[in-house]
Amino acid sequence: MPLPNPALALHNTPTSAAPPPPPSRKALQILDAATELFLGEGFDGVSMDRVTQAAGVSKATLYVHFRTKQELFTGVILREVEAVRRLTTIRLTDATDIASALRAIAHHLAAFFVSERMVKLKRAAIGAIAHFPELAAVIFRAGPGETIITLAQHLAEHGAAQGLTIPDPNLAARQFLNLVCGDFEFGGVLPAPPLSEADVNHVIEEAIAMFFARYRSTEVAR
């Protein structure tokens, strides 16, 4: 939700868009095969011929669904990002209060950023963006952008009732996501020592504490 660095990308203000129609069974077959290839060999190491062999489809079938390797890679990345975004929305909906919502989202995103699968896809995406830079904006809108919208709406709807004064929910959502995603993003892409579970919990709890210190209503704080 690679992937662009959230510490930079979250400065943008997203606009929500309707999700695309679900892919056909044949398209999913191609996406499954392509995903494993990109995971193992990156963007540059995969050819469309390799995809047809791995997916067990003809070139004609492949090009009906994905006209270029860039289009295919975009489909692979967006499917992964959408899965993360969908689960993020579920975590938010199930939360009983804002602190629980922030904690659930943060832990979900932490798991996403440091998983081996996502680290490989992010590195592949970095290589792909060198060939078609517009991919970064596409990924941002579908992943971080939609997460910002969802979290901002939740803060706007429930913040005041829970003792928070949030004049700009969109900014507040971006601030929180920047707080929790920075360490996880760098640790996933760069060869840095992995964060322990205790480190992850500490980062998340401090981010929540900072968020409430900034937005807790003055009357409640007194």
Side-chain angles (χ1 to χ4, degrees):
M1 86 189 222
L3 293 173
N5 186 339
L8 301 176
L10 296 185
H11 288 294
N12 296 323
T13 300
T15 56
S16 184
S24 66
R25 182 184 61 82
K26 189 63 70 173
L28 288 174
Q29 181 179 331
I30 295 169
L31 287 171
D32 288 341
T35 298
E36 295 309 311
L37 288 173
F38 287 128
L39 281 170
E41 303 179 34
F43 179 79
D44 290 326
V46 176
S47 68
M48 295 294 266
D49 285 342
R50 293 280 309 283
V51 174
T52 60
Q53 295 169 5
V57 299
S58 67
K59 285 186 179 181
T61 299
L62 173 61
Y63 285 107
V64 163
H65 295 283
F66 304 99
R67 294 168 295 179
T68 65
K69 186 168 78 165
Q70 288 89 341
E71 189 174 298
L72 174 59
F73 186 80
T74 300
V76 166
I77 291 292
L78 289 184
R79 184 171 66 152
E80 300 290 335
V81 170
E82 169 58 21
V84 174
R85 188 203 63 76
R86 186 169 57 252
L87 287 175
T88 300
T89 301
I90 292 172
R91 301 284 191 279
L92 187 62
T93 303
D94 290 345
T96 57
D97 54 61
I98 288 180
S100 298
L102 297 178
R103 188 173 292 110
I105 288 177
H107 278 286
H108 176 57
L109 293 176
F112 160 68
F113 278 118
V114 303
S115 69
E116 182 179 358
R117 178 182 181 85
M118 289 300 107
V119 168
K120 289 180 178 179
L121 279 177
K122 283 185 286 183
R123 289 173 178 167
I126 290 171
I129 288 170
H131 297 282
F132 56 119
E134 63 272 18
L135 175 64
V138 173
I139 294 171
F140 174 77
R141 287 195 299 270
E146 287 295 327
T147 300
I148 291 169
I149 291 172
T150 303
L151 178 56
Q153 290 174 340
H154 188 85
L155 294 174
E157 292 172 5
H158 303 287
Q162 297 184 37
L164 300 178
T165 300
I166 306 177
D168 188 341
N170 186 279
L171 174 61
R174 300 200 318 266
Q175 287 173 332
F176 180 75
L177 293 174
N178 274 314
L179 283 172
V180 299
C181 290
D183 284 347
F184 307 140
E185 172 72 1
F186 283 121
V189 176
L190 301 177
L195 294 174
S196 67
E197 183 178 352
D199 290 333
V200 171
N201 289 335
H202 183 64
V203 169
I204 291 172
E205 292 305 319
E206 285 299 306
I208 294 172
M210 291 178 68
F211 184 90
F212 275 85
R214 166 62 182 88
Y215 290 110
R216 184 179 291 111
S217 299
T218 304
E219 293 77 7
V220 175
R222 290 175 182 173

